[in-house]
Amino acid sequence: MARFAHRLPFGATLEPDGTTRFRVWAPSMQSVALEVAGEAAPMRKEAGGWFAAERRAAAGTPYIFVLPDGMRVPDPASRAQSGDVHDPSLVVDPLAYDWQHPDWRGRPWNEAVIYEVHAGLAGGFAGVRAMLPELAALGVTAVELMPVADFPGARNWGYDGVLPFAPDAAYGTPDDLKRLVDAAHGLGLMMFLDVVYNHFGPDGAYMHVLARPFFREDIKTPWGAAIDFRRPEVRRFFIENARYWLHEYRFDGLRFDAVHAIEPQDFLEDLAAAIRDSVPADRHVHLVLEHGGNAAHHLRASGAEAKFDAQWSDDWHHCVHVLLTGEHEGYYGDFQDATRLLARCLAEGFAYQGERSGFGGEPRGEPSAHLPSAAFVIALQNHDQTGNRAFGERLVALADPAALRAATVLLLLSPFVPLLLMGEEWGTRRPFLYFTSHNDDLAKLVLEGRRDEFRHFSRFQDAATRARIPDPNAPETFAQSRPDHADPATHDFYRDLLHLRAARIAPAIPGCRSEGADVLGPGAVLARWRMGDGAMLSIAVNLCGQPAGVGTAPAGALLTAPAGALLFESEAGADAGLAGGRLPPRCAVVRLAPA
């Protein structure tokens, strides 16, 4: 039998002698009582604001902390809840699950093709498990779950989590989640988890009561109180959380949400080092950031040790989105020179590398040309960029079909790491909306805030139009967001591209370096990469409705076609046009020249 557990220095831990050790950091309390299966007794006060106790409590036993004023508080390090976030926690035996694929060691990062999935929309952990064979056949190599840490109610994106160690009961039990990860490994798939360390959700975050020093009063995040990462207890809490998911649940990687909201930033370096130190040398574990500041110094250069493998490149998304849709409001206002900025993304990773952002009003980004292409996760759609739209429209409802096919070729055959949003591969037209299931008072505030945030967009100047924005708390908002298998032809298109990527692109990504990218005309770019095996990969893409020419010359000027044999063309005749010196409208051509 193969069983895995990560021993935590807090929470409820089953001991070999049959007792369970309970430990909680509650520096704001003078005393804490522990109630186990309905019987309460005082906990032992330890130095530094800690409280501890040992009791007979088998796996499945409910327990809760009782404060001097009678308030009952679940364990902030709960491994599972008996109900929702306000209910008693459960003692969990992490060694109960017998792993079927314990020798799995992951896959190298150059093979990553990430599929972002919301477990609730898929039918819980069991529903995601049922999807795995289809995803493996498609060519996906890594399934990334949006956050699963326990949140209030039965429906939520997951970024309102308040119990970071407890998989939400709406999706299944801890063992159900382990079965999902285990099944993925059996199919050769990696499993990634999105984790949120920059804030707690607005309902059920009892850490505010137990440990006020856990939070800072001098700074705020857009989502509430900032967490005080200057404190060693706070750093330890989240470092242990990361290790817990990687070792007890055997996830192959973590995506860290909005880490630009974490201060001080040196916590990220400590986090990466602590994780790397805990992982055996023969196991592939991948760490990915979402950082709105384009902080290139957190990313691992070719051959370097530790640090983070990659960052989501919002710049890449914004450039392509503007070219596909013509949108110009909000942060898309910074990307109206989209063709030039896309060329910079393809050559150097980030579009903004220290230039002033008109949307944010401050310089944004750091130089990134020294980083490998695989240091950037790119996407045409993800939960943020689709779900944060008022009506959650997919690109199939916003873009020309041929231009979208061309952009998909650029996504899947360039040597960056591609990410797909669930349903994208089927061309679903069902939206991906923002949804919650908060209590009545909070639900009203969320609805008002959701509609108010679009007030400054020209489309939503009218109150009646804003009133049409779906209510996040309405059950139908959640139901409408379930993707369907709308277009088998789109699925086949994605499958063919991903199989081509696996055979011809992914093996040569290690050591890949950009050879530059040129603007061919409005919406058209030619990018080249020297692959790790010495071959030259080139992608010419034109997302606009006019033919394109060479370099910065006027559109329509002749261009010199890149060397190599045709690997893929998104439209019949596109390569012939390229060979003749003009790149046709709304197409992509991929060529590969041997070393």
Side-chain angles (χ1 to χ4, degrees):
M1 293 188 296
R3 302 172 189 269
F4 297 93
H6 179 67
R7 186 175 179 86
L8 296 172
F10 37 68
T13 303
L14 285 165
E15 300 288 7
D17 64 1
T19 62
T20 296
R21 182 206 65 193
F22 299 88
R23 194 162 185 259
V24 62
W25 191 52
S28 298
M29 297 292 112
Q30 290 300 312
S31 64
V32 178
L34 170 67
E35 182 179 298
V36 176
E39 296 184 6
M43 299 182 75
R44 181 175 64 255
K45 190 171 184 178
E46 298 181 340
W50 290 92
F51 293 84
E54 294 76 32
R55 298 278 293 275
R56 290 278 174 181
T61 302
Y63 69 98
I64 199 163
F65 301 123
V66 183
L67 307 186
D69 63 358
M71 178 181 285
R72 296 157 59 81
V73 176
D75 187 353
S78 167
R79 277 181 160 94
Q81 288 294 100
S82 60
D84 206 353
V85 296
H86 303 288
D87 296 314
S89 304
L90 295 176
V91 176
V92 171
D93 181 3
L95 295 175
Y97 182 75
D98 184 15
W99 290 79
Q100 303 303 299
H101 304 283
D103 296 328
W104 170 262
R105 290 295 179 267
R107 299 179 65 154
W109 183 237
N110 60 289
E111 297 179 0
V113 174
I114 305 171
Y115 188 86
E116 186 182 26
V117 60
H118 184 278
L121 292 176
F125 299 138
V128 180
R129 191 170 76 246
M131 296 170 58
L132 296 178
E134 178 186 294
L135 294 177
L138 177 69
V140 166
T141 64
V143 176
E144 179 173 302
L145 298 180
M146 289 176 64
V148 303
D150 207 355
F151 50 77
R155 305 177 305 277
N156 199 285
W157 270 16
Y159 300 94
D160 289 328
V162 293
L163 295 171
F165 294 82
D168 197 282
Y171 300 155
T173 67
D175 281 0
D176 289 334
L177 179 53
K178 291 176 183 178
R179 288 187 190 95
L180 165 58
V181 176
D182 203 5
H185 293 169
L187 292 168
L189 293 169
M190 296 183 283
M191 287 294 302
F192 294 172
L193 180 64
D194 195 346
V195 294
V196 183
Y197 293 169
N198 56 68
H199 75 286
F200 287 94
D203 182 20
Y206 289 101
M207 192 70 84
H208 287 280
V209 177
L210 292 169
R212 287 190 295 275
F214 204 94
F215 301 92
R216 299 181 64 159
E217 297 182 357
D218 56 329
I219 59 175
K220 300 289 184 183
T221 77
W223 313 283
I227 293 169
D228 194 349
F229 284 93
R230 298 169 299 182
R231 292 187 172 274
E233 297 90 349
V234 173
R235 290 187 175 223
R236 182 74 182 277
F237 185 80
F238 290 108
I239 286 172
E240 293 298 341
N241 183 260
R243 288 171 161 175
Y244 163 80
W245 292 119
L246 293 169
H247 298 305
E248 191 160 305
Y249 284 85
R250 299 189 56 75
F251 278 96
D252 301 283
L254 300 173
R255 182 258 190 192
F256 300 91
D257 179 65
V259 298
H260 51 272
I262 288 176
E263 290 292 341
Q265 287 273 289
D266 68 357
F267 168 71
L268 298 175
E269 305 298 314
D270 290 350
L271 174 66
I275 291 171
R276 302 294 184 193
D277 286 347
S278 72
V279 175
D282 66 343
R283 185 181 171 199
H284 295 285
V285 165
H286 308 299
L287 308 178
V288 179
L289 296 176
E290 183 207 10
H291 195 303
N294 286 0
H297 71 278
H298 291 309
L299 301 177
R300 178 165 55 181
S302 295
E305 296 299 323
K307 293 202 173 184
F308 296 86
D309 295 274
Q311 180 182 315
W312 278 26
S313 179
D314 284 346
D315 286 5
W316 190 97
H317 168 273
H318 297 346
C319 290
V320 176
H321 187 90
V322 167
L323 291 172
L324 289 174
T325 67
E327 293 181 2
H328 62 277
E329 294 185 276
Y331 46 66
Y332 292 132
D334 282 346
F335 293 86
Q336 293 309 292
D337 191 7
T339 307
R340 180 184 65 83
L341 293 176
L342 176 59
R344 193 180 200 194
C345 284
L346 295 174
E348 301 178 12
F350 292 139
Y352 278 82
Q353 300 180 29
E355 296 80 8
R356 183 173 297 276
S357 160
F359 178 74
E362 299 289 339
R364 175 172 171 265
E366 299 170 352
S368 56
H370 64 289
L371 293 169
S373 59
F376 305 94
V377 174
I378 61 174
L380 288 171
Q381 301 175 92
N382 58 47
H383 77 271
D384 269 333
Q385 307 306 336
T386 303
N388 284 332
R389 300 179 64 83
F391 296 107
E393 304 100 325
R394 302 274 189 154
L395 274 177
V396 291
L398 302 171
D400 175 85
L404 183 53
R405 282 195 300 273
T408 302
V409 171
L410 185 63
L411 171 73
L412 298 183
L413 294 187
S414 62
F416 303 97
V417 173
L419 179 142
L420 309 177
L421 176 64
M422 63 184 302
E424 176 180 345
E425 78 281 15
W426 286 101
T428 184
R429 290 182 173 270
R430 293 184 178 175
F432 186 85
L433 296 164
Y434 178 63
F435 47 80
T436 61
S437 54
H438 288 307
N439 62 63
D440 290 345
D441 291 340
L442 186 54
K444 182 175 183 293
L445 294 174
V446 169
L447 173 59
E448 292 172 351
R450 174 72 172 168
R451 291 175 174 170
D452 188 64
E453 70 180 280
F454 294 98
R455 179 183 298 273
H456 302 293
F457 289 78
S458 58
R459 182 183 178 187
F460 297 103
Q461 292 297 301
D462 180 64
T465 304
R466 291 197 301 275
R468 293 177 48 237
I469 295 174
D471 179 357
N473 223 55
E476 57 267 25
T477 301
F478 175 79
Q480 291 168 8
S481 299
R482 289 194 182 97
D484 59 6
H485 291 185
D487 185 2
T490 296
H491 182 272
D492 292 347
F493 183 65
Y494 274 74
R495 181 199 59 209
D496 292 347
L497 288 173
L498 288 175
H499 287 202
L500 186 59
R501 176 186 181 87
R504 304 295 298 277
I505 307 297
I509 288 177
C512 168
R513 302 299 302 177
S514 171
E515 291 284 335
D518 298 319
V519 173
L520 304 178
V525 173
L526 171 62
R528 299 168 299 277
W529 297 270
R530 181 68 64 184
M531 304 302 288
D533 61 1
M536 180 70 78
L537 172 69
S538 65
I539 302 181
V541 61
N542 185 357
L543 300 180
C544 79
Q546 301 297 322
V550 65
T552 57
L558 292 177
L559 62 86
T560 301
L566 174 65
L567 191 64
F568 194 88
E569 60 181 355
S570 65
E571 303 293 329
D575 185 60
L578 181 64
R582 297 180 75 183
L583 183 63
R586 301 184 179 115
C587 73
V589 176
V590 185
R591 289 188 173 191
L592 188 63

